[in-house]
Amino acid sequence: MEILMSILAGILFATGIYNLLQKQILRIVIGTGLISHGAHLFILTMGKLKRGAPPILTEGAENYTDPLPQALILTSIVISFGVTSFLLALSYRAYVLNETDNMELLRGNEND
Amino acid sequence: MISNLAVLPIVIPLLSGILAAFFHKKLPLVRFFSKFMAVLNLLASLWIGLYVLENGSVILETGDWKAPYGIILVADQLSIFLVITTNIIAAFSVFYAQSVLNEQKEKYYFYSFFFLLISGVSGAFLTGDLFNLFVFYEVFLMASYGLIILGGEKIQLRESFKYVILNLFSSMLFVTTVAFLYSVVGTVNMAQIAERVQEADQGGILTTIGILLFFVFASKGAIFPLYYWMPKSYIVPNPVVSTLLGALLTKVGIYSILRVFSLIFIHEPMIQQLFLWLAALSMVFGVIGALSTYNVKLIIVYNIIPAVGFMLMGIGLLSETGIAGAVYYLIHDMIIKAALFMLIGSLVYAAGTSDLRKMGGIIHRYPYLGWTFFIASLVLAGIPPFSGFIGKLLLLQAGFEKDQVLLVIIGLVSSLLILLSMIRIFIYGFWGEEPDSKNVPNKKSPSLWPAMSLVLISVILGAGAEWIYPHIEDISEMLVNRDIYINSVLKE
């Protein structure tokens, strides 16, 4: 199961990076979203995918899931949620003001 | 009870930032509130600093969860020195802000973002937990995104988009790396990671994780070859925002490298070798960048890169003298870069352009600005007896101790070229005749005293090295003997 999840995370990273390298702003934003999904899946996998009791200490609890990766993912999801919404607003403003969503045309020159 | 002190430099600006958002349109009130809270925060961190000097590190285990399990904040000497420096810069910037920002920008949450930035930077310095380091990185990055587009001009939106994308990518890489490290050592507490890395016999994968972490920190710290995003995005915002970003953000990257690579990843000498190469290349390329442009703002931004190279050199040498040099240089560089960004803001304002070829003779109208800038250039280049000299002396001494003669020569030559790049601004911008005074703005010019005071502090840091150096020596001893840190956190 861990192998499968790692491969899935890898695919998400690869498609994310492919999108990140495109010219269109919206594709880049989607790329960052895919990469963060990959990262979150990866954290979950790194804490070992175990089935069993919730991590509450009771007598006879032997097989329990690791709570730390879940706490990390929650934090990370919230952060990437905020950043993505900010990024969408920013790219909309950039598109409206610069009148293009092509990164090639947003390069700028030496004198400004 | 007393351990709760460690959280003050994070909580005070955090609450101030949130509160300031409620009355953001009442300018006199928000201005007074911000100045008051910035100074209060400085005093609080000075108080904690004194306490740490007397009684040793303050370690806060939040919610009373014991060290490796709970979230901890560690205010040791290094952290608290950097927090104090951050707050000195913050306090002076908030006084400078009013004179360079227009009312519109002040109204639209400048002060809130400012405080959140300070909160995040202080948190990054104080945390003892790798995942929380990531969280605090996000806190100050979010605030910096807000600050960098403040005003929303065309060019700002264009450049800040690239800044946001790059930082977002390296943040995601940071989380991934933390996950990697968690799978190998099963903890995110830095002291415990350090302990387990010593025991775990898994050199290969740990080196990979180390390099990945270095990539993350280096792209925040603008080390060669990851500085390409920095020059453009640091010149587009307002001078006070450039001051905060240029003086604080890149230095957080360097601090993280210093902490992580003196504590955790010291099992593989190849990493240190890599640092030395990158340090030399950063010095060379930064100086070339600074000499290649006529834009005064760009010259100062490019000057961040060789400074980062110097600090990386100290970290790469990993000897007591080297680390002491790096720490000294770090504190010196934060202060002098803040002063320079403020001075450049005033210069650009006075000249009405940032192109060196179009300005001249500013010193006739602004003599104090001219001479403060001149002193600041000497401090930056490391002319004795200023503070840049002490840091460089320690670093070069450490270089000779480890027989890195080539690196020392590159360091010396690049210092000379830094001086040249600064003197170019002085000659073109301040001397000579003013081309024409038609684009002279007749508004009140930005206040000069914050920059002057920062230069003065920097001079004191150099002239008073006798008092400061023993503390720096203590810090480097603690960093080199990492068991001190581990034992103080895990209480074994």
Side-chain angles (χ1 to χ4, degrees):
Chain A
M1 194 61 185
E2 272 89 357
I3 301 274
L4 209 64
M5 291 285 262
S6 305
I7 291 170
L8 191 58
I11 291 170
L12 279 171
F13 260 93
T15 44
I17 286 170
Y18 174 78
N19 275 305
L20 210 58
L21 298 174
Q22 300 298 303
K23 288 175 195 161
Q24 218 183 338
I25 284 187
L26 202 57
R27 277 178 185 262
I28 296 174
V29 177
I30 291 172
T32 59
L34 285 172
I35 289 177
S36 54
H37 286 325
H40 299 154
L41 202 60
F42 194 69
I43 303 175
L44 192 70
T45 318
M46 284 297 125
K48 287 220 180 91
L49 303 162
K50 272 182 290 196
R51 286 182 180 202
I56 298 167
L57 208 59
T58 47
E59 241 169 90
E62 277 172 3
N63 199 12
Y64 55 88
T65 44
D66 190 350
L68 194 74
Q70 302 180 4
L72 303 190
I73 295 171
L74 269 181
T75 318
S76 178
I77 286 175
V78 174
I79 289 169
S80 69
F81 187 65
V83 175
T84 309
S85 54
F86 171 79
L87 199 55
L88 281 170
L90 176 66
S91 38
Y92 177 68
R93 282 302 294 171
Y95 163 71
V96 168
L97 270 187
N98 289 299
E99 287 163 356
T100 174
D101 69 339
N102 189 337
M103 286 309 277
E104 290 278 323
L105 302 175
L106 290 174
R107 208 175 262 172
N109 55 35
E110 197 50 47
N111 300 320
D112 50 30
Chain B
M1 178 51 214
I2 201 76
S3 65
N4 283 333
L5 277 180
V7 84
L8 280 184
I10 305 171
V11 166
I12 295 175
L14 186 70
L15 291 180
S16 318
I18 295 167
L19 280 177
F22 284 110
F23 42 87
H24 64 108
K25 284 196 173 159
K26 297 194 177 70
L27 275 185
L29 180 62
V30 79
R31 277 176 191 155
F32 172 76
F33 174 77
S34 309
K35 285 170 189 165
F36 179 77
M37 289 318 263
V39 172
L40 182 77
N41 197 20
L42 174 61
L43 292 178
S45 49
L46 280 172
W47 179 43
I48 303 164
L50 283 178
Y51 183 85
V52 169
L53 281 186
E54 270 175 30
N55 304 313
S57 319
V58 177
I59 292 159
L60 172 64
E61 293 165 330
T62 47
D64 240 357
W65 287 85
K66 290 290 165 252
Y69 307 110
I71 292 167
I72 55 160
L73 296 172
V74 184
D76 63 352
Q77 278 197 37
L78 173 63
S79 306
I80 205 68
F81 264 55
L82 292 174
V83 169
I84 291 171
T85 317
T86 305
N87 280 312
I88 290 173
I89 292 165
F92 284 116
S93 317
V94 87
F95 281 97
Y96 180 70
Q98 193 188 332
S99 58
V100 282
L101 289 169
N102 58 27
E103 291 199 348
Q104 183 103 18
K105 286 181 185 167
E106 275 184 284
K107 271 181 191 162
Y108 283 92
Y109 306 108
F110 168 78
Y111 293 106
S112 295
F113 286 132
F114 164 80
F115 277 119
L116 294 178
L117 183 88
I118 300 302
S119 172
V121 170
S122 304
F125 287 144
L126 286 172
T127 182
D129 177 309
L130 207 55
F131 189 76
N132 273 293
L133 188 63
F134 160 73
V135 174
F136 283 118
Y137 262 77
E138 286 309 306
V139 172
F140 73 70
L141 282 175
M142 255 338 237
S144 79
Y145 301 155
L147 284 174
I148 211 167
I149 58 159
L150 198 70
E153 286 161 31
K154 227 174 175 176
I155 178 170
Q156 275 182 311
L157 287 167
R158 195 182 73 205
E159 294 304 327
S160 56
F161 186 75
K162 298 164 197 168
Y163 172 80
V164 175
I165 293 291
L166 183 110
N167 279 304
L168 192 56
F169 180 69
S170 68
S171 297
M172 281 308 138
L173 210 59
F174 196 171
V175 193
T176 319
T177 315
V178 173
F180 261 129
L181 200 55
Y182 182 75
S183 74
V184 178
V185 293
T187 176
V188 285
N189 180 302
M190 286 205 260
Q192 208 183 13
I193 294 175
E195 207 181 39
R196 292 204 179 156
V197 163
Q198 270 174 327
E199 291 160 6
D201 193 25
Q202 303 205 0
I205 186 76
L206 284 171
T207 310
T208 315
I209 294 169
I211 296 295
L212 267 172
L213 264 187
F214 176 69
F215 178 87
V216 173
F217 297 147
S219 61
K220 312 270 188 209
I223 289 164
F224 175 87
L226 299 164
Y227 65 79
Y228 51 85
W229 57 273
M230 189 183 70
K232 278 282 178 68
S233 52
Y234 275 18
I235 63 169
V236 290
N238 194 278
V240 65
V241 178
S242 302
T243 304
L244 291 169
L245 299 186
L248 301 179
L249 294 204
T250 47
K251 306 307 180 292
V252 182
I254 288 293
Y255 161 79
S256 313
I257 293 175
L258 179 60
R259 183 63 95 191
V260 167
F261 287 89
S262 69
L263 185 67
I264 300 174
F265 300 105
I266 53 162
H267 60 283
E268 175 62 65
M270 198 182 75
I271 297 179
Q272 269 70 35
Q273 202 61 39
L274 175 77
F275 283 7
L276 294 182
W277 278 100
L278 291 180
L281 287 169
S282 301
M283 290 177 201
V284 172
F285 278 83
V287 164
I288 291 174
L291 289 174
S292 71
T293 172
Y294 280 98
N295 185 333
V296 278
K297 288 182 181 172
L298 265 183
I299 293 177
I300 301 296
V301 174
Y302 270 117
N303 263 319
I304 294 177
I305 301 163
V308 165
F310 273 108
M311 293 171 230
L312 192 65
M313 170 181 165
I315 301 168
L317 292 169
L318 205 65
S319 63
E320 260 183 52
T321 336
I323 299 271
V327 173
Y328 205 101
Y329 205 84
L330 182 59
I331 294 171
H332 142 81
D333 199 60
M334 282 166 87
I335 290 178
I336 195 64
K337 283 279 147 57
L340 275 172
F341 273 106
M342 286 179 186
L343 289 170
I344 284 296
S346 305
L347 171 63
V348 170
Y349 177 82
T353 169
S354 57
D355 193 335
L356 267 184
R357 286 166 294 194
K358 289 180 193 151
M359 59 172 79
I362 303 289
I363 204 160
H364 301 307
R365 282 193 293 136
Y366 296 93
Y368 293 115
L369 174 64
W371 292 114
T372 316
F373 183 82
F374 184 67
I375 296 172
S377 320
L378 296 186
V379 174
L380 182 72
I383 306 291
F386 297 122
S387 57
F389 172 71
I390 316 277
K392 272 180 192 160
L393 183 70
L394 287 169
L395 287 171
L396 299 182
Q397 200 185 334
F400 276 124
E401 277 168 17
K402 293 242 173 163
D403 292 326
Q404 299 285 350
V405 183
L406 184 65
L407 195 59
V408 171
I409 293 171
I410 291 175
L412 283 172
V413 172
S414 71
S415 303
L416 273 181
L417 293 176
I418 288 171
L419 186 63
L420 177 64
S421 74
M422 299 306 291
I423 292 302
R424 255 177 84 224
I425 300 183
F426 197 70
I427 290 174
Y428 280 97
F430 288 100
W431 281 357
E433 289 302 314
E434 220 159 336
D436 52 3
S437 32
K438 72 174 185 331
N439 52 5
V440 174
N442 43 19
K443 226 178 72 185
K444 198 166 79 48
S445 71
S447 50
L448 196 57
W449 70 265
M452 277 172 138
S453 323
L454 281 174
V455 172
L456 186 69
I457 290 175
S458 171
V459 170
I460 292 170
L461 206 61
E466 223 171 296
W467 303 304
I468 297 156
Y469 183 65
H471 300 305
I472 305 285
E473 214 170 21
D474 279 355
I475 292 174
S476 78
E477 200 193 314
M478 276 175 86
L479 285 172
V480 172
N481 304 321
R482 58 207 197 118
D483 290 334
I484 301 176
Y485 180 86
I486 297 174
N487 292 338
S488 74
V489 172
L490 297 178
K491 300 201 177 71
E492 277 160 359

